[in-house]
Amino acid sequence: MFSPIIYQSNQLKLIDQRLLPHKSIWVSCDTLEDVAVAIEDMVVRGAPAIGCTAAFGLALDITQVDQDSTWRSYKGRFFDCCARLEATRPTAVNLFYAINQIRQAVESISDNELVRDVSEVVERCAQDLFNSDLETCVAIGAQGCKLHSSDKKLRVLTHCNAGALATAGYGTALGVIRALHSAGKLEKVWVDETRPYLQGARLTSYELLQDNIPHTLIVDSAAASLMAQGLIDWVVVGADRIAANGDTANKIGTYSAAINAYYHNIKFFVAAPWSTIDLTISSGADIPIEMRPQSEITEYAGQSIAATEVTALNPSFDVTPSKLISGIITEDSVIQEPFDKSLASARAHNNRL
Ligand code: MRU
């Protein structure tokens, strides 16, 4: 299964997603700072992939210091590394989840322990997070596929890239699409190009092409008209953070897709692992929304599109209110309204977070 992240023998490599689909170049991250910059600059992107990369970043750093020194002497640097990674991108909670998992894994280690032993703990935890994300995506795919029992093949719209490139592999929204395709339940995928960063045009259509999954690329604003013509059966998207009431932050434009689906009576599903659910916040109003550079709107591939004096606003994510969501497809189950109650009881039932 393709993964955008390779961690082997203390070496971290990422496929440079800024260059896809035309060039497949793997970049090596040699320091923690390289990892942080790779996340900020979108070499790696997508909520679960960012979390896994940050975890491997922590593993990379601890394996680079004197292994015979004590945990006490490294501890301060470890917390600085966590803080540096946490400052990279604010919206996807998977980043904070992964770092917290590692913090918890080292929490009870005594100061006199050798760094060598702590390195093992950190590396194991990072590897477990990666392996578990891969398994989780496959489980999300299976849960999503179970939702469709009729013989009619589905035409599914997706936004952004919630595929193998955005996770440890396989994908969340694209995991559901892959599972539907394997089960013979998919007619085709409509791929939103996803302005302004074009994750749909550059990454999702590339992944679907690799897997021979029928698809057509559209501009984001074409979706409503395709819905009105009866050409879309489902919308399936990923998520960066889901609040306790089900409000969901995802790539800018997701909210418009949800409103359009609601108006046309089309099912709108969010596919996401439990690591994307943030029960510490009650609603989407508390989700921090990343603002990205204006140049992502005013320029394309270094070429200016708008007049140089133009001011642009570039929120990278929006929040879809839960009332527009038909279901949240997790690895355990499909959560439905009332989302606040269903999320709380699914959490207790599945012993999550
Ligand atoms: O800015 P990006 O490319 O990191 O945004 C990615 C998305 O919005 C994805 O839909 C989300 O992270 C889910 S990935 C499984």
Side-chain angles (χ1 to χ4, degrees):
M1 202 177 292
F2 178 82
S3 172
I5 308 160
I6 299 173
Y7 183 82
Q8 251 167 13
S9 324
N10 311 343
Q11 290 212 313
L12 178 60
K13 290 205 168 102
L14 303 170
I15 192 156
D16 191 339
Q17 299 195 30
R18 299 168 305 180
L19 305 178
L20 289 171
H22 301 299
K23 287 186 190 153
S24 281
I25 299 199
W26 289 85
V27 294
S28 190
C29 292
D30 299 327
T31 63
L32 188 285
E33 186 56 24
D34 287 351
V35 178
V37 171
I39 296 172
E40 280 163 351
D41 289 356
M42 311 275 277
V43 170
V44 63
R45 32 67 49 203
I50 295 172
C52 292
T53 302
F56 284 133
L58 292 174
L60 185 72
D61 194 76
I62 194 168
T63 51
Q64 287 175 340
V65 295
D66 178 5
Q67 299 297 293
D68 291 322
S69 59
T70 60
W71 171 231
R72 180 192 290 109
S73 65
Y74 175 73
K75 216 172 173 178
R77 172 164 159 175
F78 170 79
F79 288 117
D80 288 347
C81 290
C82 293
R84 173 68 186 100
L85 291 167
E86 282 174 336
T88 53
R89 296 193 72 192
T91 305
V93 75
N94 308 62
L95 173 71
F96 304 91
Y97 168 83
I99 295 169
N100 277 339
Q101 290 293 108
I102 296 195
R103 267 207 206 94
Q104 276 168 25
V106 299
E107 189 171 66
S108 55
I109 289 177
S110 80
D111 280 358
N112 295 329
E113 196 85 43
L114 289 183
V115 161
R116 174 185 320 286
D117 300 325
V118 190
S119 295
E120 263 178 42
V121 173
V122 174
E123 276 195 304
R124 198 177 325 116
C125 185
Q127 195 61 55
D128 286 350
L129 282 162
F130 178 88
N131 295 344
S132 136
D133 188 58
L134 208 49
E135 280 170 26
T136 294
C137 285
V138 175
I140 288 172
Q143 291 286 349
C145 190
K146 274 200 302 199
L147 278 170
H148 184 63
S149 49
S150 94
D151 286 343
K152 186 186 178 303
K153 290 191 177 190
L154 293 170
R155 297 152 304 169
V156 179
L157 175 81
T158 193
H159 189 74
C160 195
N161 172 267
L165 288 163
T167 58
Y170 198 71
T172 55
L174 282 200
V176 172
I177 285 169
R178 284 194 163 94
L180 287 169
H181 178 66
S182 305
K185 295 180 181 181
L186 182 79
E187 183 177 321
K188 70 175 295 178
V189 186
W190 295 105
V191 181
D192 271 354
E193 64 168 354
T194 315
R195 285 286 300 155
Y197 207 74
L198 304 178
Q199 288 93 333
R202 295 187 301 104
L203 308 175
T204 298
S205 51
Y206 171 69
E207 279 195 38
L208 294 173
L209 208 56
Q210 302 287 310
D211 280 6
N212 285 317
I213 300 180
H215 63 282
T216 304
L217 184 63
I218 55 170
V219 295
D220 305 348
S221 47
S225 143
L226 296 182
M227 288 177 185
Q229 293 170 63
L231 297 174
I232 297 176
D233 303 304
W234 276 17
V235 180
V236 185
V237 297
D240 284 82
R241 196 185 289 233
I242 300 172
N245 69 347
D247 290 353
T248 295
N250 190 48
K251 182 53 53 196
I252 190 80
T254 303
Y255 180 27
S256 306
I259 292 172
N260 290 332
Y262 191 77
Y263 181 78
H264 293 97
N265 206 14
I266 289 167
K267 296 245 182 264
F268 181 94
F269 293 110
V270 171
W274 269 92
S275 53
T276 303
I277 298 172
D278 182 358
L279 296 178
T280 67
I281 54 170
S282 55
S283 82
D286 297 329
I287 300 177
I289 300 294
E290 176 184 8
M291 299 303 283
R292 298 222 26 112
Q294 297 184 33
S295 57
E296 289 180 358
I297 298 181
T298 57
E299 295 172 13
Y300 179 69
Q303 286 280 84
S304 180
I305 303 171
T308 41
E309 304 79 14
V310 165
T311 306
L313 182 74
N314 190 11
S316 194
F317 301 95
D318 57 26
V319 175
T320 299
S322 60
K323 72 171 179 195
L324 302 180
I325 298 172
S326 313
I328 299 173
I329 307 170
T330 73
E331 59 271 46
D332 300 323
S333 61
V334 179
I335 292 161
Q336 273 153 340
E337 57 176 2
F339 287 100
D340 50 354
K341 293 200 175 62
S342 314
L343 278 167
S345 75
R347 174 204 191 185
H349 184 256
N350 297 304
N351 204 15
R352 293 282 174 192
L353 309 176

